Every structure is written in structure tokens, then in C-alpha cells.
């Protein structure tokens, strides 16, 4: 780019301002001549461009054919630096899930280091006993279900102590035969499936276990307040062969985003 500040080389100004920009193309070189106001002086600016052919998408090529408007209405093709400015290219970099997880892990490690340095108590995960919050445990979708089941069994309501001489129903007397309904339920082949997702419903279990044989009963454990599945259920078949086939086929079967755990259900008296 060359700048000539001699007034004599400039064309006469019109009543509308500076003379229009001139473009001269010689081969693959384009020369533009324009006039600008710098430091209260009118200067003649000559720029040289090397022309190259570049393939662009069709929408961009169509956009270049649009009619110019405003101060650029009388300008020819291209950019007039007297009234237009080209910004810097901005490249968008999208972070992957792996990078986001690594950043999250680094933030957690930094918080733990600050807590340790300040002498505050260290946190311990209730699921894997690791030095992190339980809600940030990477095993909460697998080990967390087993922990909930253990807590439910530990918090199960135990029968009150028996008072000597009080009446005890035959169905719960130690060593006494159980009633026909309880005995029939224990004799029927029942399997226990755990590690179910929270959104699992009885219909989902019916569709999953019915192909192996007639199902007489399905019990899906749910939270009393929210109605969300607790992660385990009991399936009772009419025939033991059907239960054995379902157990051998669906144990460690990938259902949704979890791995099912299928086993024989323990008798109610054990």
C-alpha cells in the first residue's frame, strides 16, 4: 500500500465529497485508488491486491450478488475500505464431553485440595467410600441401586417382640406350617431382578419376562412418596422351567443403560 499526500495528484472534489474509488485490474493484480481523511488532511491511498480464485458454498456465492445499500450503494464488487471494515476471523472450538468431564474432575480435585489444606473434614462417598461427594460418584448408577436395597432391608419394619401368653397367628408361629396362600407363593418359582432404571414400569417388566412363559405375579418396588422405581422387582412364574430360562437369559443382560442382575428370590421366611 502506498500513500501519496500531494494535493495536486487528487481529482477535484465534487459537491458530494471525495471522488469515488477507482479500480484498475491488470492480470491477477487489482489496484484501488481512494481518498481518506487522516489527521485533518485528505490523502490519496493506493492499494494493490493479488486476485485468486476460491470455491465457496453456493449460498455464499449467491450472497455476493446482492445489491449494496447505504454508503456502499455506488461501490463496485468487493470491499471499499473507506466505508467498510473486515473483522478478524473467530474460530469456534466446541468442548467434548470428555474434556468437560476432565475439567469437572479437576475442579473437584482442586476443591478437595483446598479443604485438606484448610484442615476441614474430608468428605467420603456413601457408595464407593471415595474422597468425593456421593452425587458426583461415577458408580452411582450401578452400586447406588445395591446401596438403596441394603438400606431398605436394614430399615425394614421388624415385628414387635412377643409377649408371653399372647395369641400368635399360626402363619407366623415358629415351626408351625404357614397358611395356604403364603405356602403357595413360596412354592411358585420366583426370581428377583435388580439394577432397574427409575423409569421402569410393570408393563416394561411384563414385556421383558412374559416371552419365557406365563407370569402369575409381578411386584415392582416403588417409593411411597414419589412413585419412582427403587431398582428391583420380583417376577413369579407358573412353571419353574420358565423361571430358569428367564434367569439364564436375562442375568447380566443390558437393559437400557444398565446391566440387570437376576437371581432366585429367597423364601419369605428366610
Amino acid at each position: 500500500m502506498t500513500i501519496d499526500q500531494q494535493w495536486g495528484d487528487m481529482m477535484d472534489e465534487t459537491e458530494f465529497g471525495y471522488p469515488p474509488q477507482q479500480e484498475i485490474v491488470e492480470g491477477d493484480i487489482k489496484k484501488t485508488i481512494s481518498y481518506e481523511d487522516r489527521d485533518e488532511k485528505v490523502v490519496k491511498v493506493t492499494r494493490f491486491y493479488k486476485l485468486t480464485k476460491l470455491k465457496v458454498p453456493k449460498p455464499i456465492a449467491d450472497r455476493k450478488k446482492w445489491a449494496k445499500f447505504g454508503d456502499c450503494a455506488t461501490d463496485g464488487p468487493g470491499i471499499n475500505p473507506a466505508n467498510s471494515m473486515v473483522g478478524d476471523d473467530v474460530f469456534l472450538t466446541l468442548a467434548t464431553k470428555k474434556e468437560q468431564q476432565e475439567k469437572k474432575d479437576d475442579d473437584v480435585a482442586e476443591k478437595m485440595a483446598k479443604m485438606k489444606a484448610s484442615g476441614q473434614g474430608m468428605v467420603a462417598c456413601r457408595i464407593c467410600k471415595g474422597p468425593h461427594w456421593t452425587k458426583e460418584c461415577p458408580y452411582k448408577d450401578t452400586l447406588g441401586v445395591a446401596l438403596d436395597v441394603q438400606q431398605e432391608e436394614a430399615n425394614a419394619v421388624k415385628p414387635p417382640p412377643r409377649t408371653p401368653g399372647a395369641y400368635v397367628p399360626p402363619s407366623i408361629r415358629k415351626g408351625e406350617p404357614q397358611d395356604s396362600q403364603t405356602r403357595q407363593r413360596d412354592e411358585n418359582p420366583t426370581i428377583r431382578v435388580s439394577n432397574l432404571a427409575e423409569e421402569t414400569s410393570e408393563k416394561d417388566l411384563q414385556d421383558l419376562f412374559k416371552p419365557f412363559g406365563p407370569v402369575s405375579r409381578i411386584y415392582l418396588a416403588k417409593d411411597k412418596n414419589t412413585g419412582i422405581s427403587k431398582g428391583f422387582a420380583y417376577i413369579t412364574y407358573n412353571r419353574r422351567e420358565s423361571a430358569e430360562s428367564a434367569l439364564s437369559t436375562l442375568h447380566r443382560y443390558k437393559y437400557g443403560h444398565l446391566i440387570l442382575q437376576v437371581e432366585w428370590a429367597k423364601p419369605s421366611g428366610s
Side-chain angles (χ1 to χ4, degrees):
M1 180 181 69
T2 61
I3 299 177
D4 187 0
Q5 297 185 2
Q6 295 182 5
W7 180 263
D9 294 338
M10 190 184 74
M11 297 176 58
D12 295 337
E13 291 186 359
T14 64
E15 59 180 353
F16 300 100
Y18 301 145
Q21 176 178 290
Q22 300 180 11
E23 294 185 357
I24 302 175
V25 179
E26 298 177 354
D28 60 347
I29 302 297
K30 182 177 73 172
K31 180 175 67 172
T32 62
I33 301 175
S34 60
Y35 300 90
E36 300 177 5
D37 186 1
R38 297 185 180 180
D39 299 332
E40 298 181 356
K41 295 181 181 179
V42 179
V43 296
K44 176 182 178 182
V45 180
T46 304
R47 295 182 173 88
F48 295 89
Y49 301 92
K50 181 175 178 61
L51 303 178
T52 58
K53 291 184 178 181
L54 178 64
K55 291 184 178 181
V56 297
K58 187 175 183 303
I60 298 179
D62 295 339
R63 195 160 58 242
K64 290 180 178 293
K65 299 178 183 178
W66 292 355
K68 296 186 177 182
F69 57 90
D71 296 339
C72 303
T74 58
D75 295 342
I79 298 176
N80 183 3
N83 49 35
S84 302
M85 181 179 63
V86 181
D88 297 333
D89 294 336
V90 178
F91 299 96
L92 179 62
T93 303
L94 300 177
T96 60
K97 292 184 178 180
K98 183 178 179 181
E99 293 175 350
Q100 294 177 353
Q101 184 63 32
E102 291 178 352
K103 184 177 183 301
K104 184 177 179 180
D105 295 341
D106 294 341
D107 295 340
V108 173
E110 184 178 356
K111 291 180 181 178
M112 297 300 298
K114 290 182 179 180
M115 291 179 60
K116 188 174 181 180
S118 61
Q120 298 179 0
M122 299 293 291
V123 297
C125 176
R126 294 187 296 105
I127 298 176
C128 66
K129 308 304 180 184
H132 52 256
W133 303 104
T134 303
K135 65 179 181 180
E136 298 174 353
C137 180
Y139 308 103
K140 63 181 179 181
D141 292 335
T142 55
L143 299 180
V145 176
L147 179 63
D148 294 339
V149 173
Q150 293 178 1
Q151 290 181 350
E152 180 185 357
E153 294 176 352
N155 298 332
V157 178
K158 298 181 179 180
R162 300 176 183 176
T163 305
Y167 172 76
V168 179
S171 59
I172 61 175
R173 293 177 185 174
K174 186 176 182 181
E176 294 290 339
Q178 298 178 342
D179 60 343
S180 59
Q181 183 179 2
T182 305
R183 182 168 58 254
Q184 182 180 3
R185 184 172 63 249
D186 291 341
E187 291 176 355
N188 289 340
T190 303
I191 58 177
R192 182 180 187 274
V193 54
S194 58
N195 210 20
L196 295 171
E198 292 182 350
E199 59 272 13
T200 304
S201 63
E202 287 86 352
K203 185 179 182 304
D204 297 333
L205 297 177
Q206 184 78 13
D207 296 339
L208 182 63
F209 288 92
K210 190 175 181 180
F212 299 96
V215 177
S216 61
R217 181 174 179 267
I218 293 179
Y219 171 73
L220 176 62
K222 297 181 180 180
D223 186 89
K224 295 181 180 180
N225 298 325
T226 62
I228 299 177
S229 169
K230 292 185 177 181
F232 69 95
Y234 292 93
I235 315 296
T236 302
Y237 284 93
N238 293 336
R239 300 174 53 192
R240 186 175 182 84
E241 293 79 6
S242 302
E244 291 177 349
S245 177
L247 190 149
S248 60
T249 304
L250 298 180
H251 181 58
R252 301 192 66 80
Y253 175 77
K254 184 179 180 181
Y255 187 67
H257 61 283
L258 299 175
I259 304 298
L260 298 181
Q261 300 292 331
V262 184
E263 60 184 354
W264 289 109
K266 297 180 180 179
S268 57
S270 61

